[in-house]
Amino acid sequence: MSEFVKKTIMGYKTLDGGQSDPECTHVILSLKEYNDLLREISQAKQEARNERSKADDDKKENERRLKLMAQEHEQTIEKWRTTLEAERAESAHQKRLNENLLRIARERANADRKLKPKKEHTGYVVVVSSEKIYRYKSGRRLESVKLWETVIQSPYSIEFPAKQAKKLILEEFFPENGEWEAARLGIERWVAGDYEDFLSAADKDEEFIQQNTALTGYRSFRANYRAGYWEMILVHTRPLEVVPKDMRVS
């Protein structure tokens, strides 16, 4: 059994107060206790080494997994990148084919209608332009106004699906950028709506009253089976100017 002692000139003196005695300077252990203590210290050191080794192994394993995941992600990204580039290339190819087909269709339509120059002509011509009475609301009353309807023939055959023909006509005749074909007819601007919307816009901008304005709310499309082409009916506030000769039906 261990003893709590005080070192003196004569040797070690056992203290009655034990470990709590303020004069205690040493602890005397039996051989078994000393060996047990050494064993516990050795075990504690070994456990600490084991924990450090396990932590190092776990760190290396995590680093290996992260590296593997990064490689797999990079491979996946590269795979998608390759697929995307292939799809872009295919899309560009299809776009070029489509543009060529549309160009050929337009040139054939121009030749069929004797529009020159065949290769450069837009393929859009005015079929007829006439006045028509439209009704609109003014407060609670129903009023009438004379507007103009202009039928514009496109270069697209009635063999084109309606959805595709409408999309092409709007993109080409009303482009977001570039020349606005309607301007050649004296149609200077447009309002996204009907005549009531036109009046509302005119209240904010007096130039609307003075200018020939297209009302897209009345815009419509039709397939002219006699002529064989899709046509757009455009409604506007004033008569057309003199239609350029290249935009007249031969």
Side-chain angles (χ1 to χ4, degrees):
M1 183 176 179
S2 58
E3 295 183 56
F4 298 93
V5 298
K6 173 185 177 182
K7 187 176 182 181
T8 66
I9 298 175
M10 302 299 295
Y12 293 97
K13 178 183 179 182
T14 301
L15 301 174
D16 295 334
Q19 183 179 3
S20 60
D21 195 306
E23 293 186 350
C24 180
T25 59
H26 291 73
V27 179
I28 298 176
L29 302 177
S30 66
L31 181 59
K32 181 177 182 306
E33 289 174 329
Y34 178 72
N35 289 333
D36 289 344
L37 180 60
L38 289 180
R39 185 169 56 255
E40 290 176 6
I41 293 173
S42 177
Q43 289 176 349
K45 288 181 178 180
Q46 185 60 46
E47 289 176 359
R49 286 193 293 270
N50 291 342
E51 290 295 326
R52 285 196 297 272
S53 177
K54 184 177 182 303
D56 289 341
D57 291 343
D58 290 344
K59 180 181 178 181
K60 291 178 182 178
E61 177 64 17
N62 288 334
E63 290 176 348
R64 186 189 68 80
R65 289 181 179 178
L66 288 174
K67 184 177 180 179
L68 180 61
M69 289 175 61
Q71 291 174 345
E72 291 175 348
H73 288 165
E74 183 61 32
Q75 290 173 356
T76 300
I77 291 172
E78 184 60 30
K79 177 182 176 182
W80 282 109
R81 185 183 295 117
T82 302
T83 302
L84 180 59
E85 290 300 325
E87 290 179 352
R88 283 177 175 170
E90 177 63 20
S91 177
H93 176 64
Q94 292 298 329
K95 183 180 179 181
R96 288 192 295 271
L97 288 177
N98 190 51
E99 288 174 349
N100 286 333
L101 290 173
L102 292 177
R103 176 182 55 79
I104 293 170
R106 184 169 56 251
E107 290 179 6
R108 286 178 178 174
N110 290 346
D112 177 55
R113 294 174 296 167
K114 298 180 175 58
L115 300 178
K116 298 179 180 180
K118 179 183 72 173
K119 292 183 179 295
E120 288 77 24
H121 199 290
T122 63
Y124 290 95
V125 292
V126 175
V127 177
V128 64
S129 187
S130 58
E131 278 188 314
K132 184 175 180 180
I133 295 176
Y134 279 78
R135 308 299 295 273
Y136 70 96
K137 281 187 177 182
S138 178
R140 294 186 177 182
R141 293 185 303 172
L142 196 61
E143 303 282 357
S144 62
V145 62
K146 284 186 178 181
L147 300 175
W148 285 81
E149 281 189 356
T150 297
V151 179
I152 299 172
Q153 190 175 95
S154 79
Y156 299 113
S157 163
I158 55 175
E159 302 302 327
F160 277 70
K163 184 177 180 180
Q164 182 184 17
K166 288 172 62 175
K167 180 176 182 292
L168 289 168
I169 293 169
L170 290 177
E171 287 178 351
E172 295 174 354
F173 208 81
F174 297 97
E176 294 182 1
N177 300 302
E179 184 179 356
W180 191 33
E181 285 296 314
R184 299 188 64 204
L185 304 174
I187 300 175
E188 300 160 288
R189 56 173 62 190
W190 58 271
V191 168
D194 55 20
Y195 191 72
E196 294 173 45
D197 296 308
F198 167 75
L199 293 178
S200 177
D203 287 339
K204 301 174 183 177
D205 186 348
E206 294 182 359
E207 289 187 4
F208 272 88
I209 294 294
Q210 304 301 323
Q211 295 179 326
N212 194 358
T213 305
L215 310 177
T216 61
Y218 296 138
R219 184 175 55 201
S220 59
F221 299 83
R222 73 183 186 187
N224 186 332
Y225 288 94
R226 176 173 294 181
Y229 295 97
W230 280 97
E231 296 174 343
M232 173 177 60
I233 302 171
L234 197 61
V235 178
H236 44 98
T237 57
R238 292 175 175 269
L240 299 180
E241 293 182 357
V242 176
V243 177
K245 289 184 178 181
D246 65 309
M247 293 189 72
R248 303 179 194 176
V249 177
S250 301

